[in-house]
Amino acid sequence: MSYDISALRKFVSPEIVFGAGSRKAVANFASNFGARHVFLVSDPGVEKAGWVAEIVDILVSAGIRVTLFTGVSPNPKVDEVMAGAELYRSNECDVIVAIGGGSPMDCAKGIGIVSAHGRSILEFEGVDTVTSPSPPMILIPTTAGTSADVSQFAIISDPDRRFKFSIISKAVVPDVALIDPEVTETMDAYLTACTGVDALVHAIEAYVSTGSGPLTDTNALEAIRLINRNLEPLVRNTADAHLREQVMLASMQAGLAFSNAILGAVHAMSHSLGGFLDLPHGLCNALLLEHVVAYNYTAAEDRFRRVAEAMDIDTRGMSKPVIKHRLMERIIALKGAVGLEAKLAKLGVTTSDIPYLSGFALQDPCILTNPRKSSRRDVEVVYAEAL
Ligand SMILES: [Fe+2]
């Protein structure tokens, strides 16, 4: 009997431990995987904040050796992944732990793939290219936004092509995500805003994606609702533990939604931008968001109405154009309230860069699940509007 695979929906998730202090379970989980020598991936900022030393202490106290790899840059590069994998191999490590934002977590995922296959990370670009399981992996996110700790995505920068490529595979979902709102205490207001808007974009893109469905919709809508209500007050008062927890919960739900429903044109276009200019991912998304929503609106009007309602807009009695207008207004107001108002031109993008950026955006797998089919010309026009 035949069946239409495009109509089926799946849901993949790591084992998740959510709540203040969950990071402290890292040694228990590592021990459960039989860890004798953990490879710990992080970046200089997280190390400086003291979180790396704490994780090392917890692991060493449990009798587990640790090799540190903390040189990961923002937007992790191919050569960093390859250097990490070589260190993992030569030190005979057996479990990978990463603590940090999207960059250390994506780098750790890349190191896992290279360790399992013994080949360049460049060979794993695309969907379902990973054939061997990675070593056991425990991820501890320190930002509430990227959700690499729950997702099937790893994004790696290839400086030779000035391009960020996506690896999308069940094999890069970690075994365990220890999601601990306490570790986001050290994020400043700007990083809180960038990563929080990234999570909002994840939720909106997942909800209107052609891969959306009942398994992801509730997570996506709840994430939109939580970010809409809690991100602005959190950016004003980053010390508020309750708000941190709410935005972390939103980020996790947005992550579960987009990992399984995939994303859309905002991410395709922002991956291209981030690879070209090495810019923060959340900022790239924020600058593109309302322009892509405007482009996509007519292709998913009912879905965008639900997005507007999740953003506390009472749509009863409103015509479709009015709902669109109010939704755009709310998105722009939220971005402004958290301090993300720049235009692409301010970041150094020029009109002459647009054809190059558009070419790479059209090669990104996220473009395939955008609710409206996008030609090269369409993508060029949206970039031009965000300039
Ligand atoms: Fe993102």
Side-chain angles (χ1 to χ4, degrees):
M1 212 155 80
S2 68
Y3 63 97
D4 176 10
I5 197 158
S6 67
L8 302 178
R9 292 293 178 265
K10 63 176 172 57
F11 194 90
V12 183
S13 162
E15 181 174 0
I16 295 172
V17 186
F18 184 93
S22 61
R23 70 189 182 282
K24 294 174 187 166
V26 65
N28 295 37
F29 280 95
S31 297
N32 289 347
F33 292 124
R36 297 160 62 110
H37 193 157
V38 159
F39 191 74
L40 179 57
V41 182
S42 192
D43 69 24
V46 175
E47 192 168 26
K48 201 168 157 219
W51 301 117
V52 173
E54 188 194 30
I55 297 297
V56 170
D57 271 355
I58 293 168
L59 291 169
V60 169
S61 301
I64 299 167
R65 291 178 64 194
V66 179
T67 287
L68 275 182
F69 184 70
T70 57
V72 181
S73 58
N75 299 323
K77 315 286 183 292
V78 168
D79 57 355
E80 292 167 11
V81 171
M82 299 311 290
E86 177 50 30
L87 191 61
Y88 179 93
R89 191 194 61 77
S90 61
N91 283 5
E92 298 179 358
C93 298
D94 45 22
V95 168
I96 299 174
V97 176
I99 180 161
S103 301
M105 291 193 284
D106 282 346
C107 190
K109 290 178 174 191
I111 290 167
I113 293 171
V114 174
S115 302
H117 295 78
R119 308 204 313 263
S120 169
I121 193 64
L122 288 164
E123 293 180 32
F124 298 92
E125 181 174 343
V127 181
D128 287 338
T129 56
V130 182
T131 51
S132 300
S134 293
M137 188 170 302
I138 302 168
L139 300 183
I140 308 170
T142 58
T143 64
T146 67
S147 307
D149 48 294
V150 297
S151 83
Q152 303 190 69
F153 284 66
I155 312 293
I156 309 292
S157 277
D158 177 2
D160 289 346
R161 289 183 289 168
R162 292 183 74 177
F163 176 54
K164 283 171 90 166
F165 65 92
S166 304
I167 299 168
I168 306 177
S169 167
K170 192 169 74 175
V172 300
V173 177
D175 298 280
V176 179
L178 302 177
I179 305 181
D180 185 344
E182 278 181 3
V183 282
T184 65
E185 275 164 19
T186 45
M187 272 204 296
D188 62 20
Y190 181 69
L191 188 58
T192 302
C194 282
T195 51
V197 172
D198 186 25
L200 176 67
V201 176
H202 293 157
I204 294 176
E205 292 216 286
Y207 190 68
V208 302
S209 158
T210 58
S212 66
L215 300 182
T216 51
D217 284 350
T218 44
N219 279 313
L221 288 174
E222 180 62 4
I224 294 167
R225 197 183 67 78
L226 286 170
I227 294 164
N228 183 59
R229 290 189 182 171
N230 295 294
L231 187 61
E232 283 179 53
L234 176 60
V235 167
R236 282 197 300 274
N237 178 14
T238 57
D240 188 310
H242 174 70
L243 292 172
R244 284 223 160 275
E245 189 182 72
Q246 295 299 296
V247 174
M248 195 68 157
L249 188 61
S251 165
M252 182 198 78
Q253 300 207 62
L256 290 170
F258 92 74
S259 174
N260 292 289
I262 316 298
L263 294 157
V266 179
H267 272 78
M269 294 174 66
S270 95
H271 290 154
S272 176
L273 262 178
F276 185 63
L277 291 169
D278 208 11
L279 295 167
H281 171 70
L283 181 62
C284 294
N285 280 342
L287 301 192
L288 293 164
L289 177 59
E290 72 266 25
H291 304 287
V292 175
V293 169
Y295 171 76
N296 281 338
Y297 199 87
T298 51
E301 279 177 328
D302 283 343
R303 292 227 149 217
F304 278 116
R305 180 178 53 77
R306 297 291 300 278
V307 171
E309 286 164 359
M311 295 187 85
D312 288 335
I313 296 165
D314 184 354
T315 64
R316 282 173 298 180
M318 280 186 194
S319 67
K320 286 173 178 173
V322 173
I323 297 172
K324 177 184 175 184
H325 179 72
R326 290 287 305 279
L327 175 60
M328 305 276 294
E329 230 176 35
R330 176 62 195 136
I331 290 171
I332 292 165
L334 176 58
K335 280 173 40 176
V338 299
L340 302 178
E341 279 177 298
K343 301 288 281 179
L344 291 181
K346 263 199 158 173
L347 306 179
V349 182
T350 65
T351 310
S352 60
D353 296 329
I354 289 179
Y356 183 89
L357 290 168
S358 303
F360 277 120
L362 286 171
Q363 286 173 39
D364 192 284
C366 293
I367 203 82
L368 299 174
T369 45
N370 193 61
R372 184 170 164 192
K373 281 254 168 299
S374 316
S375 70
R376 191 182 180 106
R377 179 76 196 132
D378 295 332
V379 173
E380 286 178 354
V381 168
V382 178
Y383 272 127
E385 278 164 2
L387 213 60

